[in-house]
Amino acid sequence: MPTDQSPEDRYHYAVIARALKTIDDAGGAPLALDDLAERLSMSPAHFQRVFTRWVGVSPKRYQQYLTLDHAKRLLTERRTLLDAADEAGLSGTGRLHDLFIRWEAMSPGEFAKGAEGLTMRWGWFESPFGPALVMGTDRGISGLAFAGETGAEAAMADLRGRWPKACFVEDPMALRSWVLAAFGAASEPAPVLAIGAPFQIKVWEALIAIPPGHVATYTDIARRAGYPQAVRAVGTAIGRNPVSWLIPCHRAIRKTGGLGGYHWGLPVKRAMLAWESARAEAG
């Protein structure tokens, strides 16, 4: 997290990131509380308190959310009815209902220029899902990548390659408050400026309609975006979403309940879905 968090909070945030990775690395084999705590050099009682505070449920309960069966249950019991969400005003250009984010899309003309003339500020931050690279203009966050699986160099090259004509300036302090809001540590909304082609923007708007703790199939998202016959192209657009987590492409899964792919690595996607399910239950 940004440096204005207390040393204790920064330490605990790093602990949780390591804990999520340790659980995922186990490949579905359940890890006992004592084993997890030992790996993180903490007492079981202390680790349980810290984990429950940040995630919302116990480590044992959290691990239950990482199974394929859980993904299937989400699909059958808690999948999003996108039409109903649309009627409730949960999509489009309004404030995101789940993360309190202001959504704005770049115009087609701006996109066609390759972000020419834009100053793109960037910085590295800790997140519950590992190191996060955040980029943004003066209008909002435009890029959010997770480097735990891909590596820092690949994440940087990926985001920079999306806006080849922008001017990139390292300035994490300019992004700090937005990052705090993005990961639920601030009350003010974090603005998002999505930079993409018109087709991609429509797909990303459909993703925004999926509430946390829910999932939708690629077919459902294609239908909601207005392209029911273009499921493959819609899947590609989902994968090209530059603002991971905030535009929730991790909530798209296969109709079989399988997770499908994820641009920043399946372990990150599993952690995000489990994190959201845990918080939805705790709430």
Side-chain angles (χ1 to χ4, degrees):
M1 288 295 292
T3 54
D4 60 350
Q5 294 290 285
S6 72
E8 182 182 37
D9 279 349
R10 290 201 301 273
Y11 169 69
H12 287 165
Y13 222 68
V15 165
I16 295 307
R18 286 167 50 211
L20 298 187
K21 186 176 188 309
T22 299
I23 290 169
D24 192 74
D25 286 348
L31 297 175
L33 175 63
D34 289 355
D35 187 12
L36 267 172
E38 182 179 358
R39 296 188 189 198
L40 295 164
S41 303
M42 299 173 72
S43 72
H46 186 205
F47 173 69
Q48 176 101 337
R49 286 195 300 272
V50 171
F51 192 96
T52 302
R53 173 193 167 198
W54 283 93
V55 181
V57 295
S58 70
K60 179 179 179 180
R61 183 64 175 153
Y62 174 83
Q63 291 180 74
Q64 295 172 356
Y65 289 125
L66 291 174
T67 66
L68 177 60
D69 285 344
H70 172 63
K72 291 180 178 178
R73 285 196 300 273
L74 277 179
L75 191 61
T76 57
E77 299 172 9
R78 299 172 61 192
R79 65 184 291 178
T80 302
L81 299 177
L82 294 180
D83 290 339
D86 192 33
E87 291 174 6
L90 302 183
S91 63
T93 57
R95 188 177 70 176
L96 294 191
H97 62 291
D98 54 337
L99 293 172
F100 302 104
I101 293 164
R102 295 193 305 274
W103 158 266
E104 179 184 3
M106 176 171 279
S107 71
E110 290 175 303
F111 171 73
K113 294 178 181 179
E116 183 177 4
L118 279 181
T119 296
M120 192 74 70
R121 293 178 171 81
W122 63 271
W124 286 99
F125 300 86
E126 287 299 322
S127 85
F129 316 111
L133 173 62
V134 182
M135 294 188 176
T137 71
D138 58 358
R139 291 159 63 183
I141 294 175
S142 295
L144 204 169
F146 295 95
E149 298 295 313
T150 65
E153 291 185 7
M156 177 66 76
D158 186 299
L159 289 190
R160 288 180 67 107
R162 296 170 188 252
W163 314 295
K165 297 181 181 179
C167 175
F168 293 90
V169 177
E170 184 176 9
D171 188 2
M173 294 297 289
L175 304 168
R176 180 189 61 208
S177 62
W178 295 346
V179 174
L180 285 169
F183 294 113
S187 58
E188 292 299 315
V192 170
L193 174 66
I195 303 176
F199 173 79
Q200 293 173 320
I201 295 296
K202 292 296 291 183
V203 173
W204 300 342
E205 286 178 340
L207 290 171
I208 290 170
I210 308 172
H214 292 68
V215 295
T217 66
Y218 292 94
T219 300
D220 285 339
I221 295 167
R223 177 180 55 80
R224 174 63 186 84
Y227 303 97
Q229 305 303 317
V231 177
R232 187 178 297 274
V234 166
T236 299
I238 290 172
R240 288 294 295 168
N241 163 32
V243 192
S244 302
W245 177 245
L246 302 184
I247 299 176
C249 52
H250 59 279
R251 297 176 194 159
I253 68 174
R254 294 173 178 165
K255 61 183 178 181
T256 60
L259 294 185
Y262 190 64
H263 193 74
W264 305 112
L266 279 179
V268 177
K269 183 173 186 175
R270 283 193 293 267
M272 288 177 173
L273 288 173
W275 176 278
E276 288 187 328
S277 290
R279 293 199 160 217
E281 177 183 289

